[in-house]
Each structure stands twice: as structure tokens, then as C-alpha cells.
Amino acid sequence: MSTNPAISRLQSGDGADDSTQRGCTSWLLISCIILTITTSFVFGWGLAAPNMYNDFTEPFLKGKDSCSVDVRAHPLSNEAAVVPMIVVDNNAVADGTNGANSEKRMNENGDAAADEKSDDLPKKKHGVFNFFAELVKGIPQTLFLIGAFIGAITGPSWVKVCDRKRTVFINYIFCFASSLCVLLGSGFQKPWLFYLSRLLLGYQGGMACAVVPPFINEISSQRVRGTAGASFQLSLTIGILVAQIVGLPFIAGTCERWGWGLSIVFLLPLAGVFVLFLIPNSPTQMIGTYNNEEQATIDLKKLRGTDNVQADLELIREQTRQTGGGKTESLSILQVLKSTHYRWPMLTTVVLQFAQALSGVNAVFFYSSKMFEKAGIPKGYIPYANIGTGAINVLATIVSLFLIEKLGRKKLVIYPMIVMIFVFGVLTALVEYNESRNNAVLGFISVIFILLFIVCFAVGLGPIPFLYGSEVCRPEARDSVQSLGLIANYIGNILLSLFFPALNSMLGGYVFLIFVLFVAAHVVFLWFKMPETKNKSIEHAEQFWNIAVKNPNEKLLSATANA
């Protein structure tokens, strides 16, 4: 085990003579803003924006004129959900009752008795029918998820070809291509271009999630690494919120402007093309991959706001020596899976991302519109209520920026998850009890618990899975471990999107009990196997797991000392 002093003194320090303990400098802040606003904000936009234009995109994809639909008969996204993480649009899949009720209300004869007969249909048959009907409407979001899945798998390959800054430039290209497809598709009535745009923007998001958090980790000082890493999730939630606001009828939520509402986000990467070259590159990659210590020193001085960056340089040199004594090659996903050295960093990262996907966040937001309606909120105002939940999600994520370096990662993940278990138990009782009574007071109480869940999610499971993998993995494995975690996240969301509608139809409010089991299982695993990474070195995490740290230069150094 290494006893390098650069690693040992990471446990404490005021930053006076230790560059790893420097706080947030102006260039670190600027770098995080540029990186996240031009990548994760775009991904958040891609997650949320389509939900705001369903009334126009659905007829468009059927070859009809979007302006031929009377949107007054379809209040804006009454069943739209705020999607706070890497998720698919469960509302397009899960809300089986919405399409059926619309059919009943708009039957040609307007016969109330016909409605009653429809209600007499067996629930299972009715639910299965609606599930497959709504599944077709979810194809655009499914393509988005497929694109994100591919982006997460192939993301590390881009870093092998070029440095991290150039990789971000490449990420911009997929956003430009997606926006162009949306504009051409909406302008020339070409639905296939719309589908292609979703696939491309999904790839942009998956790739960004795989390469940007490690980039932020490598330019951040040890002292503020967690806060800087959480900026990725904060930017994503802001992207979701802004996309919802832009999608309101008085901005872009019309049949003439929905194409621009979906595509205008390309302006951010366009600005990034001109400002990204200003920020420093990854010092870790400059030394480990390109053996360019001179450039790494220049970048570190800029990032740390001081000329004394020896502590950071020593730390990077030590990590490079431990991974091979020379050039650090990025490992492939297959190499990481085969290596026992990265087993626990990989497993805990995957479990964290899986916990995020299966935390029930989609289910809670699916029920949010229904709860708002039962609480007495008029249907026309429900989109604004959903925007309010998006705003709370952003505010709670901002709070996590301050807590993440005070309380640590492990506490912010586990304790809010324990509260989630309690929230799910209460929501199960409220939803089932209020299903037949439709009591506004109980609906209002349900809304309070939904907001409590959002806060619990946003302060812990929201940001921490993105930064954790980079904090416990050595440089050569960071990108692949990050990708494996994202793959687990997407698989979790695919499972949720496929099975939640049927489970919801069969179990009703009791469906929340499934999430109780998921969350409880993840809490137990993480309690015993997740190390605290706040202001800790990678070596500290390896000690926690009893991983042997091999220094390939140990014999050489010993021989030199004896001579």
C-alpha cells in the first residue's frame, strides 16, 4: 500500500500550501458551468421537452397536420410528468386510462350509457389493451433511451481517440444533428426525421453522462470535488425545468412553434463551440495519457488559482505509477469486468445507478398529476403545478451542493432513501384509501408527500451516482465504470417502463410497495459496501474494500534507495 504524502494529507488541510485543498476558484466554476450547460442541460431538455408537445407530435407522427387538432379539447400535458433523472416517458406508456377515457368522452353518439358499459369491461383486458396502444406513442422516447444506451456504451471509446475537450466538441455534433432533424422533419412533414432526432439526442445525453462527470472530477480539487460533480445533475434538472417552461402555450407550445421548442436548445452547444477552448483540459489525462506534464501544470495553476500545484502533480504522478509506471491507457468495459481490482468500485457504482432508476421516481411523478387533480387543482393549471415540482427539484439539488461536502456522500444517499421507504408506505395507504373517495384533503396530503419524495431524491440519489464512480476508480477505469453504471440505469428504466403500466393496472396504489422492497434492498447493500468518499483519496476506498494496491515501481524505488 502506498504511503505517498500527497495522498496521505488529503484527509485535511486549509488549502494554503496544498493545491488539493483549494476551494472553488473562478476558472473551476467557469469550467463547470460551460461543461454542464452545454451537455447535461441539453440532456435534461431532451428528457422533458417532448412531454410538452404531445398534442402536436402525435398527429404529426401519424401524418396529420398538427394545427388540425383542437388542443382545447386536450389540456396541455395534463398527465405529463416531471422527469428528474435519466428516464423514459412513462406517461406516454403508463397512463392507460387517459386514452381510454378520451375515447369514451368523445364517442360519436355522446351516449353516457356507452361510458358505463366501457367501465364494465374487465380491468385486465382493458389495461392490457391500453398498455399496447400507449406503447406505440412511446416510440420516440424509446428511441431516445436506445440512443442514450448506445452513447453510454461507446462514450469511453471517444476518450481513447482524443482528449476530453475534443470529446465534448464531438458531443455537440449530435445535438446539432438532432435539432436539424427536428426542424426539417416538422417543416417538411417527415416523421422519420423526428424519430432520428430522438435517437441522436439520446446518444448525446448518454455520451455526456459517460464522459463529462469524469472530466469534472479530474479538473476539481479534492476539497470541492463533490460539489463540482453535483453541478452535472443540477444543470440537468434546470434543463428539465426550462424545457417545461418553454413548452407552455404562450411561448412554444403551439402547433406552429413546437419544432423550434424542441430544437432551440442547440444554441447552447453552439455557444460552447466558441468558449469551450478557453477552459483547461484534464491534467490527469495530460500526464497519464499524453505524458505532457508541462501542459498539466499550466492547467492546474489556472484551475487552482495558485502557482503551487505540487500536491496535485504528486497525486497524479502516484496514480500513474500505480497503473503501470508510464502512460495510462483507458480500460475497456470488458477489461474492467474481468479485473478483480475494479470489482467493488464497479459494483457499487452500478448499484447506485440501479437504485436511482428503481427508486420509484417515475411512478411518483406519474401519480403527481392525478394527485394534483384530486387536490382540487383545475386541469388547466396542472402543467404549472408540474413545473412547480420541477422547480422544487432544482432547489433541492442546489441545497445538495452545500450539503454534499458537509455531510458526505453516503449519508446523503442512505438516509433520504430510508425516508423514501416511509413515504412510499404512506402513499400506498393514501392512494388506495382515496381511490374511491376522491377526497381533496387526502389528495393535498398526497401532494405533500410527493414533494417530500422529490426533495429526498434530489439531495442524494439525484446527483451522487454521477460523481461517485469517478471518486472510487483510478483514471484508467473511470470512463468504463461510469458507462457500466449508466447502462444499469437505462436497464432499470427500461424494466420500469415495460412493467410499471401492467403492475399499476393490477395493483393500484399497492404498486408502491414494490419500490419499498427495491429501495430497502439497495439501502442494505450500500450501508455495508459503499465507502464515504468526501475529501478521501481513491486509496482510502480501496482500503475500505481491502483491495491490494500494487505499485509496479516499488522494487525499482527500493533498489534506488538502497544504492
Side-chain angles (χ1 to χ4, degrees), residues 82 364-365 367-368 371-372 377 384-393 396 419-420 423 427 443-459:
V82 182
V364 168
F365 279 113
Y367 267 97
S368 65
M371 297 302 177
F372 290 148
I377 299 176
Y384 299 94
N386 281 326
I387 288 174
T389 61
I392 290 174
N393 190 30
V419 176
M420 288 180 191
V423 169
L427 281 175
F444 180 77
I445 295 173
S446 300
V447 170
I448 293 176
F449 277 92
I450 288 174
L451 299 181
L452 176 60
F453 176 89
I454 294 171
V455 172
C456 290
F457 178 88
V459 299

Side-chain angles (χ1 to χ4, degrees), residues 23-39 165 168 172 212 215-216 219-220 224 227-228 231-232 235 268 271-272 274-281 302-305:
C24 182
T25 62
S26 58
W27 272 109
L28 177 59
L29 179 62
I30 291 169
S31 299
C32 288
I33 291 174
I34 292 175
L35 287 172
T36 59
I37 290 296
T38 59
T39 58
K165 280 176 64 173
V168 176
Y172 294 164
V212 175
F215 191 174
I216 294 175
I219 65 175
S220 304
V224 296
T227 300
S231 65
F232 185 87
S235 183
L268 293 175
F274 298 99
V275 298
L276 185 65
F277 71 93
L278 296 173
I279 72 173
N281 216 320
K302 192 173 185 178
L303 287 164
R304 302 294 181 261

Side-chain angles (χ1 to χ4, degrees), residues 331-339 480 484:
L331 300 178
S332 67
I333 290 177
L334 186 60
Q335 287 174 312
V336 169
L337 289 173
K338 288 182 177 179
S339 173
S480 291
L484 286 168

Side-chain angles (χ1 to χ4, degrees), residues 40 67 108 136 145 183 206 257 272 276 288 302 379 417 498 537 550 563:
S40 63
C67 292
E108 294 180 0
V136 175
L145 186 65
L183 291 175
R257 297 194 292 268
L276 185 65
K302 192 173 185 178
K379 286 188 176 182
M417 288 177 72
L498 288 176
S537 67
K550 296 182 179 180

